[in-house]
Amino acid sequence: MRLPRTLAHLARASSRRIYTLSTFDLNHKINDCVRNGNVNDARKLFDEYPHWRNTVSWNTLINGYVKTRQLSEAQKLFDQMPKRDAVSWNTMLSGFRDAQNPQKAHQYFLQMIERGSMPDELTFAVLISAFLDTDFNVLIPQLHGLVMCLGLDLNIYLGSALMRGYIGLGDRLGFRRVFDEILVKDVVPCNVLILGYMEFGLISAAKKAFDEMPERNAHSWSILINGFMKNKEVNEARVVFDRMSEKDVVSWTAMMRGFVQCEKFMEALDLFVLMMNSPTRPNNYTFSSVLDACSGCSSLVMGNQVHACILKFGIPLDVVLATSILDMYGKCGDIDAAFRVFQSMSTKNLVSWNSIIGGYGRHGLAYRALEEFDRMVKNNIIPDEISFINVLSACVHGGMVKEGEERFNSMEAKYGIKAEMEHYSCMVDLYGRAGQLEKAEEIIKVMPFEPDVIVWGALLGACGLHSCLELGETAANRICKLEKDHPVVYTILSKIYGENGVRGGVFQLGKMIQKWRARKQKAGSWIESCPAAI
DNA sequence: TTCGGGTCTC
């Protein structure tokens, strides 16, 4: 028997109704899983109901993979999608941005246009943020032009990203023009305005912008503090910090970090103690800065306490924090502890290896430093210019001239790394200390830059060590031309004059010291802090 | 369903 016509209609209508409801439900459920970080559950739902999927389901799941850093899974899904919209492309772009892969972001953007998807404001916001601080940042003004051609709005997302783009390019006018052209502003572009002014050293403009803000949030205060610190205005930063009614972990950390950057290590540690007595709890960022402060004043006692504190708080030891700890031990004189931390790390990156190599070098264990360098290369980590600074200075302290020479020559030949001023000054130091002063002089002659104070200082130091009068005077003269009133110059020169029996020279130097009111430079050591730690 | 601004290691 056939169903009456009206009933059949009803059945079809209700099945359609169920169909749309279920797609809505499915997407909500997938989104809930993704928000809770359960991508696998989201995937199960996605696989279970293939007929209910629409583009939103695909996009949501792709976003789940992107957010959990499973880019290859995201890419697989993206390739299988029957129909991609701007959201799909934007999601992939944000994944490449988070993975710091501007090439891929660029490539996908071109594909997006080729395949006829229309980019929107967010596409450009994400793309610009992917290009920030990379070689691709030269494309940002072109993207800006494209935004204008397409007639897109300069909304708060796109506007803030563009402002940051121009800040990165050092384009003060472009940055300011974009701010003025943002149609409806909220607190974020105003914060970026302060950030930019501070970056360009326009402190009073930044202050004015801060004072005139219609509303402020935690970011505004931290940006201001950071800006003052960047411009070495420590006192101004402190005034702002003290004015803050609700200090959060970021503002505390920014303040400590600033003290460390201005080499005010004790102030940083004092602030840490204050923070521990406040309701705010430190995080891994805080501890990185505090450990840096411990290294700065070579206080193993404090360093040990901070390490214990990290364990007590149960802060997860990621690569960055573990590296900070090992670096602290290396700089505070406990190289064994540094190596234990290094060995215990399940993932090590280039910075971790550089840290341990630097630690061994600093302790005069040049062989160990070179061993670790070779072990690093074997582990498929490609050395950078800092690896070589550490390796070469290890050779300097270990007096390993031949090894140092070999490593220096391998830099460009093997790894394509151009030697910088620091590498050349290591070589001058290396030859100089070994008494090969002609070779040291030769390095200065062949280096492709105008030698700086450190290079001449290395040569002068070597001349002091080997009582070389003529070359010592040359080096001292060059240093005085570059930087007046350098106390070490007088100390070493008077030693050279004394040992060469040039009494007139000693007398003249005495007068010069009086004239410049130069004092013998103070020396520092971590030895005094060791016994307390044992 | 994609979303901007503040603190991290050599």
Side-chain angles (χ1 to χ4, degrees), chain A residues 493-530:
Chain A
L493 258 191
S494 69
K495 178 179 176 288
I496 298 176
Y497 283 145
E499 280 170 356
N500 281 278
V502 188
R503 298 182 107 203
V506 177
F507 179 67
Q508 260 194 332
L509 270 180
K511 279 205 299 194
M512 276 165 83
I513 291 173
Q514 274 187 337
K515 190 175 154 201
W516 294 112
R517 288 196 200 133
R519 261 182 261 157
K520 231 182 115 173
Q521 204 177 36
K522 278 185 201 163
S525 156
W526 42 261
I527 291 186
E528 60 195 84
S529 56
C530 271

Side-chain angles (χ1 to χ4, degrees), chain A residues 125-363:
Chain A
V126 172
L127 199 59
I128 290 167
S129 62
F131 289 171
L132 284 178
D133 303 318
T134 71
D135 291 340
F136 285 75
N137 67 1
V138 290
L139 296 178
I140 291 173
Q142 293 183 36
L143 292 175
H144 187 185
L146 208 47
V147 167
M148 310 291 273
C149 288
L150 293 172
L152 295 173
D153 275 346
L154 217 52
N155 66 17
I156 40 178
Y157 297 103
L158 176 52
S160 319
L162 254 181
M163 283 173 78
R164 296 236 304 151
Y166 281 114
I167 295 171
L169 289 166
D171 184 344
R172 212 173 73 194
L173 294 176
F175 140 79
R176 179 63 222 212
R177 205 174 54 228
V178 171
F179 177 76
D180 289 333
E181 285 171 7
I182 296 174
L183 299 172
V184 186
K185 300 178 182 78
D186 70 351
V187 64
V188 179
C190 297
N191 284 343
V192 182
L193 187 70
I194 299 171
L195 183 85
Y197 278 144
M198 284 300 200
E199 210 65 45
F200 291 123
L202 303 167
I203 300 173
S204 48
K207 272 203 290 208
K208 190 160 172 274
F210 182 82
D211 290 335
E212 288 172 357
M213 276 177 92
E215 55 160 331
R216 295 185 194 114
N217 60 13
H219 292 249
S220 325
W221 291 88
S222 293
I223 289 172
L224 195 66
I225 291 174
N226 252 326
F228 280 128
M229 287 300 196
K230 204 162 268 164
N231 288 288
K232 301 278 174 220
E233 298 276 358
V234 189
N235 295 333
E236 289 261 34
R238 186 61 194 250
V239 170
V240 174
F241 180 74
D242 289 338
R243 249 176 74 198
M244 280 185 80
S245 50
E246 280 179 41
K247 301 174 178 65
D248 66 1
V249 60
V250 179
S251 46
W252 282 100
T253 305
M255 196 64 208
M256 280 183 242
R257 177 92 213 126
F259 275 136
V260 171
Q261 277 166 344
C262 298
E263 300 193 324
K264 295 182 180 299
F265 307 115
M266 288 315 291
E267 280 89 339
L269 292 176
D270 285 344
L271 205 66
F272 178 63
V273 175
L274 271 183
M275 180 184 179
M276 296 304 279
N277 289 318
S278 83
T280 314
R281 290 304 85 196
N283 63 14
N284 50 341
Y285 289 78
T286 320
F287 280 115
S288 284
S289 292
V290 178
L291 287 165
D292 239 17
C294 298
S295 309
C297 49
S298 305
S299 172
L300 185 58
V301 185
M302 273 305 282
N304 264 325
Q305 287 185 24
V306 172
H307 187 182
C309 212
I310 292 168
L311 300 178
K312 202 178 105 186
F313 273 104
I315 309 253
L317 285 184
D318 62 0
V319 200
V320 175
L321 190 54
T323 302
S324 298
I325 296 171
L326 99 80
D327 191 57
M328 178 275 295
Y329 279 120
K331 285 179 175 159
C332 292
D334 193 342
I335 189 66
D336 295 327
F339 188 65
R340 279 198 299 275
V341 175
F342 180 73
Q343 285 294 75
S344 73
M345 289 167 70
S346 50
T347 46
K348 305 175 178 83
N349 63 16
L350 177 62
V351 182
S352 331
W353 286 95
N354 283 347
S355 264
I356 196 69
I357 295 169
Y360 278 123
R362 214 171 288 116
H363 282 77

Side-chain angles (χ1 to χ4, degrees), chain A residues 371-390:
Chain A
E371 262 174 38
E372 289 306 334
F373 177 85
D374 295 337
R375 202 150 74 93
M376 171 177 93
V377 174
K378 265 195 206 121
N379 277 274
N380 297 321
I381 307 267
I382 300 160
D384 68 352
E385 62 283 351
I386 294 169
S387 321
F388 278 100
I389 292 175
N390 289 346

Side-chain angles (χ1 to χ4, degrees), chain A residues 46 58 61-62 65 73-81:
Chain A
F46 181 86
W58 287 84
L61 188 60
I62 291 174
Y65 282 123
E73 284 302 315
Q75 227 161 333
K76 260 188 231 161
L77 274 180
F78 183 80
D79 291 338
Q80 291 165 13
M81 271 182 97

Side-chain angles (χ1 to χ4, degrees), chain A residues 61-105:
Chain A
L61 188 60
I62 291 174
N63 183 42
Y65 282 123
V66 163
K67 288 283 117 70
T68 50
R69 301 281 164 111
Q70 295 175 264
L71 259 193
S72 51
E73 284 302 315
Q75 227 161 333
K76 260 188 231 161
L77 274 180
F78 183 80
D79 291 338
Q80 291 165 13
M81 271 182 97
K83 198 168 162 276
R84 288 175 272 270
D85 62 7
V87 176
S88 334
W89 288 97
N90 294 350
T91 307
M92 287 310 292
L93 289 177
S94 77
F96 294 128
R97 177 200 53 199
D98 295 343
Q100 294 174 21
N101 192 341
Q103 290 96 335
K104 274 271 183 195

